[in-house]
Amino acid sequence: EAQVTQNPRYLITVTGKKLTVTCSQNMNHEYMSWYRQDPGLGLRQIYYSMNVEVTDKGDVPEGYKVSRKEKRNFPLILESPSPNQTSLYFCASSPGLLTYEQYFGPGTRLTVT
Amino acid sequence: GENVEQHPSTLSVQEGDSAVIKCTYSDSASNYFPWYKQELGKGPQLIIDIRSNVGEKKDQRIAVTLNKTAKHFSLHITETQPEDSAVYFCAARPNAYTGNQFYFGTGTSLTVIP
């Protein structure tokens, strides 16, 4: 089944403790993105990648890191999480090359205390 | 960067009636406008999209219209059904030369009353 998977789905952590949220897609898509969703703010793009080893900042990149070492994986890293990063996070992928439809993962709910 | 505004934030309609959700955007170079449906506890799912060289697109009960001059686009759902109840998001993608950035509206919670 073609899909985007994220792990973990739920995470409660403490301020300053490094964490990684994994994202994987099995559709051989070129493009991948990370978003955060907050009430009243919609979805905001954190980082995107258009190819292996090619990443760029979205609208709200502060406090986050990403890497794209393999085409299928695009992990989101919070090196020193803070309470204002408590949010619902979504990974998405799209074929690229003028095909922009995005397929979203199921989401990761992160709470930073 | 691009700014996308979406209205209304909540919408209630009777089953069988039509629903319209409107979005405006600021960057005249934006060239791709998708609409997503998000059900409770799930990720957004693409339901329809339109490119800047097209004025209208229809898929069964769902249609999207684009007015490039006024920089607004709308989602139209006809003959609404209870399963249409969800949160809907519009988005805009600026010109390809700026990368793969997407800007989303703040969402519309649609309730279809049986």
Side-chain angles (χ1 to χ4, degrees), chain A residues 35 43 45 100 102, chain B residues 1-6 23-36 49-50 66 71-73 89-96 98-105:
Chain A
Y35 296 87
L43 289 102
Q45 195 174 33
Y100 309 135
Q102 291 192 98
Chain B
E2 171 70 280
N3 182 43
V4 177
E5 295 190 357
Q6 182 172 346
C23 287
T24 61
Y25 61 98
S26 61
D27 187 345
S28 57
S30 288
N31 63 356
Y32 174 68
F33 306 93
W35 285 91
Y36 294 89
D49 56 11
I50 192 167
L66 172 65
K71 287 189 279 188
H72 69 70
F73 56 113
F89 292 97
C90 63
R93 182 184 188 277
N95 189 283
T98 63
N100 194 44
Q101 289 178 295
F102 279 86
Y103 295 87
F104 280 74

Side-chain angles (χ1 to χ4, degrees), chain A residues 9 31-33 35 37 40-43 45 48-50 57-59 88 90 94 98-102 104-106, chain B residues 2 31-32 34 36 38 41-46 49 51 87 89 93 96 98-107:
Chain A
R9 294 290 312 280
Y31 295 176
M32 297 185 75
S33 289
Y35 296 87
Q37 183 176 15
L41 296 178
L43 289 102
Q45 195 174 33
Y48 63 91
S49 169
M50 299 176 76
K57 296 177 181 179
D59 211 25
L88 179 58
F90 289 101
S94 56
L98 302 180
T99 306
Y100 309 135
E101 299 92 79
Q102 291 192 98
F104 282 80
Chain B
E2 171 70 280
N31 63 356
Y32 174 68
Y36 294 89
Q38 186 178 26
K42 296 185 178 181
Q45 181 178 16
L46 179 72
D49 56 11
R51 300 205 177 208
V87 178
F89 292 97
R93 182 184 188 277
T98 63
N100 194 44
Q101 289 178 295
F102 279 86
Y103 295 87
F104 280 74
T106 51

Side-chain angles (χ1 to χ4, degrees), chain A residues 50-107:
Chain A
M50 299 176 76
N51 209 334
V52 173
E53 301 292 0
V54 179
T55 63
D56 211 342
K57 296 177 181 179
D59 211 25
V60 289
E62 295 78 20
Y64 304 94
K65 284 177 58 176
V66 293
S67 68
R68 186 100 181 268
K69 292 183 169 49
E70 306 166 283
K71 195 172 186 178
R72 64 182 293 131
N73 296 323
F74 191 44
L76 178 70
I77 303 157
L78 286 72
E79 297 227 331
S80 184
S82 62
N84 64 11
Q85 293 178 298
T86 292
S87 187
L88 179 58
Y89 291 86
F90 289 101
C91 180
S93 71
S94 56
L97 301 174
L98 302 180
T99 306
Y100 309 135
E101 299 92 79
Q102 291 192 98
Y103 297 81
F104 282 80

Side-chain angles (χ1 to χ4, degrees), chain B residues 11-112:
Chain B
L11 180 60
S12 291
V13 299
Q14 290 291 136
E15 182 177 357
D17 287 350
S18 294
V20 180
I21 303 170
K22 299 182 179 181
C23 287
T24 61
Y25 61 98
S26 61
D27 187 345
S28 57
S30 288
N31 63 356
Y32 174 68
F33 306 93
W35 285 91
Y36 294 89
K37 176 183 181 183
Q38 186 178 26
E39 297 176 335
L40 199 62
K42 296 185 178 181
Q45 181 178 16
L46 179 72
I47 55 171
I48 195 166
D49 56 11
I50 192 167
R51 300 205 177 208
S52 58
N53 58 348
V54 176
E56 184 174 358
K57 184 176 179 181
K58 191 173 181 180
D59 183 4
Q60 298 183 355
R61 298 186 296 109
I62 295 173
V64 56
T65 59
L66 172 65
N67 183 324
K68 283 197 304 181
T69 304
K71 287 189 279 188
H72 69 70
F73 56 113
S74 300
L75 177 71
H76 305 254
I77 306 174
T78 59
E79 301 172 17
T80 53
Q81 301 167 3
E83 51 265 38
D84 293 329
S85 296
V87 178
Y88 291 81
F89 292 97
C90 63
R93 182 184 188 277
N95 189 283
Y97 295 111
T98 63
N100 194 44
Q101 289 178 295
F102 279 86
Y103 295 87
F104 280 74
T106 51
T108 297
S109 179
L110 173 64
T111 301
V112 180

